[in-house]
Amino acid sequence: MRILYHLPLSPFSRKVRLAMAEKRIPFDLRIERVWERREEFLALNPACTVPVLQDANGMVLADSSAICEYLDEAYPDLPLLGRTLAERAEVRRLVAWFDQKFHSEVTRNLLHERQMKRLLGRGNPDAGAIRAGYANLKPHMDYIGWLAETRAWLGGSSFSLADIAAAAQLSALDYIGDVDWSLSDGAKDWYARIKSRPAFRAILADRLPDLAPPAHYDDLDF
């Protein structure tokens, strides 16, 4: 059986979970508290980060981008990277945008400061970083809204890993109530379509024992 080592609020773990669910690949989830630095997990991934996928063939893959590229090549029936060279280039560009730019400017400043610092024992949240995260959210929401209003999906004419990468970041932030959906009607409408996809059900069912999401988190109509 495939095993995906993850953390519930890790956007990169969510990205892989969504990709596997869209491809209808069965897998078991295993929470990995990376701050404990288990020797068995370090043997799988010396970087001690999630997600890590142990495939049914015994192959072990780390890093969400490497895992998703592998999944699209190993299970090509439902492609998530696009079909043409131009589509694949655009999807990869947007995946990098959300994995790197959105994450560094928004998610890291909000989710990391407000939640992960406490778990990792790295001190108190930085109020300046949190303010920057909220300020940076608006232009990103505007961009998502523009993409959603000018294309069928973010990456082009078909649902792709670009939508998954964006939704993974936003869903983690939405769980802690840090997404102002009034910033962009286009982004909100696009996310409502994402939430309605069967692959998203497990994400919406996530619950942390010490942290409840806002009421709209699993409401398909907000």
Side-chain angles (χ1 to χ4, degrees):
M1 188 64 182
R2 299 170 192 85
I3 300 172
L4 181 65
Y5 296 87
H6 82 123
L7 282 169
L9 284 184
S10 160
F12 300 107
S13 297
R14 289 181 169 218
K15 175 185 166 189
V16 174
R17 289 171 63 187
L18 288 168
M20 295 182 75
E22 287 286 346
K23 286 179 170 288
R24 303 184 184 94
I25 302 171
F27 62 97
D28 284 340
L29 274 175
R30 194 167 295 177
I31 291 177
E32 183 61 41
R33 298 173 178 84
V34 293
W35 52 90
E36 294 178 356
R37 299 187 65 81
R38 289 191 310 118
E39 289 186 8
E40 295 85 352
F41 185 68
L42 285 167
L44 296 176
N45 179 20
C48 203
T49 58
V50 288
V52 170
L53 175 64
Q54 192 165 15
D55 206 356
N57 59 13
M59 183 179 295
V60 176
L61 300 104
D63 181 81
S64 69
S65 293
I67 295 171
C68 288
E69 292 269 353
Y70 165 79
L71 292 173
D72 223 47
E73 293 177 359
Y75 307 95
D77 289 348
L78 293 168
L80 293 174
L81 283 170
R83 297 183 182 276
T84 68
L85 287 174
E87 287 173 350
R88 293 169 77 85
E90 176 63 357
V91 169
R92 285 189 172 99
R93 180 188 74 83
L94 287 171
V95 170
W97 178 285
F98 293 110
D99 282 359
Q100 299 169 24
K101 186 174 178 64
F102 186 100
H103 184 263
S104 65
E105 294 179 357
V106 182
T107 310
R108 184 185 298 277
N109 284 326
L110 298 177
L111 183 64
H112 177 77
E113 290 294 332
R114 296 188 59 203
Q115 297 298 323
M116 295 307 297
K117 261 192 173 180
R118 174 177 56 84
L119 292 174
L120 297 173
R122 294 181 178 173
N124 296 321
D126 182 334
I130 293 173
R131 285 193 298 271
Y134 287 133
N136 292 336
L137 178 62
K138 185 181 187 313
H140 280 284
M141 293 294 281
D142 288 342
Y143 186 47
I144 293 170
W146 179 82
L147 289 170
E149 290 169 350
T150 57
R151 303 171 173 185
W153 293 96
L154 298 190
S157 60
S158 59
F159 179 86
S160 72
L161 196 60
D163 299 283
I164 289 174
Q169 299 287 333
L170 284 168
S171 66
L173 291 172
D174 198 37
Y175 188 97
I176 62 173
D178 271 356
V179 181
D180 181 355
W181 293 107
S182 69
L183 291 173
S184 171
D185 289 339
K188 183 178 180 180
D189 291 344
W190 161 82
Y191 191 66
R193 286 194 289 150
I194 293 288
K195 289 206 294 185
S196 298
R197 296 180 72 85
F200 218 73
R201 289 171 186 161
I203 296 293
L204 296 179
D206 276 354
R207 293 296 182 273
L208 275 66
D210 57 344
L211 181 64
H216 72 261
Y217 176 73
D218 58 357
D219 182 353
L220 299 185
D221 296 320
F222 279 89

